[in-house]
Amino acid sequence: MELIEIVKKLKKIEANADYTRKSRQLIVSNEKNAWPAPYNLSEARQGRPGFSFKHFAANLFQSGSAIAMTAMLLFLVFGTFSLWKIFSPTNPVAIELTGLQAEARAIDIQIQLTNIAYQEQTLLENKTSTVPFAHRATPLKNVSGVLDPKVEQEVKNLGLTPVSSSTSVSINEALDSLSQ
Amino acid sequence: MLDGEQKLIELAIGGKSSAFGSLYDYYQPKIYRFVLIKVSHREEAEDLTHQVFMNAWENIRTYKNLGFPFSSWLYRIARNQVIDRYRTKKQELYLFDIDPDYFSELEGIEKNTDERLELERVTRTIKKLRRDYQDIIIMRFVEELSLKEIAASIDKSEGAVKLMQHRAIKELQELLK
């Protein structure tokens, strides 16, 4: 076929010998996993020389300085964080413990034993009385320990000595006094 | 295919640049021709061809012999390079953009004026075909690749390539009338 024969003539096309030589040199000299090629094809076209130590050093310096700056930045970040942690004036754990201890001391636990005056007589009277029990058992002392005046009078009637609220009396002492 | 090609490929994969240099010597003219006919611009064809082999050398470890030759892999890279170049430039390749130096190269091929003019006309018309048809025409009739090699290059079946080849020639004849 004539058309095919004409197309086949295109096989005679060849690349420029100088371009081929430079291109090959660039590709083959580009060692894999090593530093990049010193220059590219466009620079070769501009007539720059082949391998240039200056170019190689410049590439090396650029790569090295980039790595150094990255390392410095990481050092600054982690170093600042560590220093802040060491020289921090406040220790959250210490504060927490100190605070708890202070709170514990501040608690003024005053346990007051209320005086229980056992009145046998009162109970006996309450048993025989027709007054409902809820009304019979009058509190002898209020929470603060002050004797009710009515109670105090009843105690005197029984021949007993009323106990002052200012003095703390143990339950045993109170029972002893009542048993006399 | 180059004699001892498989051995050269293995050495190149191992990092031996001289082995890749031998592959370059054999395939560079083919790839250059293929790219030049497609782009019709000598300097651009040189840049693209250089990039094809640079990419091939950098990615030689990814090449696996899946039953098609090394040339198919190179042509595949070359096709992609041409596509990417024109996608980046975002321009259609017009016939008027053809480098005059390109036709001076044809002058070296064909001394006879009439035949040279005919050659120029055919070259311009090839560029009017769709991309796949261009590739098949160049690989089949200029580079004389087998249907199997072409199919591996353009990622189509051999039957599809045969059919596309027939259609490409028919369309080229229609355009030349």
Side-chain angles (χ1 to χ4, degrees):
Chain A
M1 188 180 288
E2 193 178 319
L3 173 60
I4 304 300
E5 295 303 316
I6 294 171
V7 172
K8 282 184 178 180
K9 286 182 181 178
L10 292 170
K11 194 174 177 132
K12 295 178 185 177
I13 292 174
E14 286 179 357
N16 181 271
D18 191 42
Y19 148 76
T20 301
R21 182 178 54 79
K22 285 178 181 173
S23 173
R24 188 187 192 282
Q25 185 184 355
L26 272 172
I27 291 165
V28 169
S29 67
N30 184 16
E31 291 294 328
K32 286 187 293 181
N33 301 323
W35 299 110
Y39 66 99
N40 54 30
L41 191 63
S42 60
E43 288 185 4
R45 270 213 196 84
Q46 288 165 21
R48 293 187 189 178
F51 179 78
S52 166
F53 184 76
K54 193 178 172 184
H55 252 101
F56 178 76
N59 286 334
L60 190 69
F61 178 74
Q62 282 175 4
S63 306
S65 55
I67 293 167
M69 283 179 72
T70 307
M72 201 182 295
L73 186 67
L74 286 170
F75 176 76
L76 278 171
V77 169
F78 290 114
T80 307
F81 181 74
S82 301
L83 286 170
W84 176 79
K85 207 172 179 183
I86 292 166
F87 292 111
S88 174
T90 57
N91 189 339
V93 177
I95 285 173
E96 197 179 348
L97 285 175
T98 310
L100 285 172
Q101 286 173 2
E103 279 181 30
R105 287 193 208 99
I107 295 171
D108 183 17
I109 300 172
Q110 293 178 354
I111 301 170
Q112 288 180 332
L113 296 173
T114 55
N115 293 323
I116 302 170
Y118 181 71
Q119 298 178 26
E120 288 183 0
Q121 203 67 305
T122 309
L123 278 175
L124 283 169
E125 285 177 6
N126 287 338
K127 277 182 185 175
T128 55
S129 170
T130 56
V131 176
F133 187 80
H135 295 280
R136 294 182 215 160
T138 54
L140 298 178
K141 278 189 178 179
N142 56 23
V143 179
S144 63
V146 178
L147 271 175
D148 193 295
K150 290 180 184 177
V151 171
E152 192 174 350
Q153 187 58 43
E154 283 181 12
V155 169
K156 281 179 182 175
N157 292 339
L158 290 171
L160 297 172
T161 309
V163 179
S164 169
S165 62
S166 62
T167 58
S168 58
V169 180
S170 67
I171 292 174
N172 289 334
E173 287 173 355
L175 288 171
D176 286 340
S177 63
L178 286 169
S179 62
Q180 289 174 2
Chain B
M1 190 185 291
L2 180 64
D3 288 337
E5 182 174 288
Q6 196 55 42
K7 184 68 180 173
L8 285 171
I9 292 167
E10 285 172 15
L11 288 169
I13 289 171
K16 203 162 175 64
S17 57
S18 58
F20 189 81
S22 301
L23 292 167
Y24 178 92
D25 294 336
Y26 184 76
Y27 286 110
Q28 189 264 3
K30 299 173 187 293
I31 298 297
Y32 174 78
R33 249 189 321 267
F34 173 79
V35 173
L36 180 64
I37 295 170
K38 285 181 73 65
V39 303
S40 304
H41 198 281
R42 190 175 61 82
E43 235 178 69
E44 197 144 341
E46 288 175 350
D47 283 341
L48 288 170
T49 305
H50 176 79
Q51 204 55 50
V52 166
F53 284 94
M54 188 65 85
N55 288 352
W57 175 225
E58 287 174 357
N59 298 295
I60 189 99
R61 286 197 185 102
T62 64
Y63 170 72
K64 290 178 186 175
N65 193 348
L66 299 172
F68 59 88
F70 185 71
S71 60
S72 298
W73 188 59
L74 289 176
Y75 277 108
R76 191 178 280 202
I77 296 171
R79 288 181 78 236
N80 291 335
Q81 280 290 329
V82 173
I83 291 167
D84 289 347
R85 177 61 65 97
Y86 287 106
R87 188 177 294 158
T88 306
K89 284 190 171 183
K90 292 181 183 176
Q91 67 182 28
E92 293 296 322
L93 183 65
Y94 296 105
L95 296 175
F96 303 106
D97 291 342
I98 294 174
D99 183 16
D101 289 345
Y102 172 63
F103 291 112
S104 67
E105 291 204 36
L106 298 181
E107 198 173 320
I109 296 168
E110 186 55 66
K111 300 293 181 191
N112 186 296
T113 307
D114 291 338
E115 289 183 10
R116 191 177 73 249
L117 287 171
E118 185 63 19
L119 185 59
E120 284 177 17
R121 197 168 78 96
V122 168
T123 308
R124 286 179 194 272
T125 311
I126 288 172
K127 291 169 68 58
K128 291 181 183 178
L129 298 172
R130 54 182 264 195
R131 197 177 291 142
D132 286 350
Y133 287 2
Q134 289 181 31
D135 295 345
I136 289 170
I137 292 281
I138 297 167
M139 285 190 230
R140 189 81 174 118
F141 302 112
V142 181
E143 304 305 329
E144 294 177 341
L145 296 181
S146 66
L147 287 172
K148 186 181 177 183
E149 288 170 312
I150 297 170
S153 299
I154 64 173
D155 200 21
K156 299 252 191 275
S157 66
E158 285 186 46
V161 171
K162 201 169 182 180
L163 183 62
M164 288 168 75
Q165 176 192 308
H166 174 73
R167 287 176 179 169
I169 294 170
K170 198 173 177 183
E171 193 172 317
L172 187 61
Q173 284 172 336
E174 290 293 322
L175 290 169
L176 284 168
K177 281 181 181 175

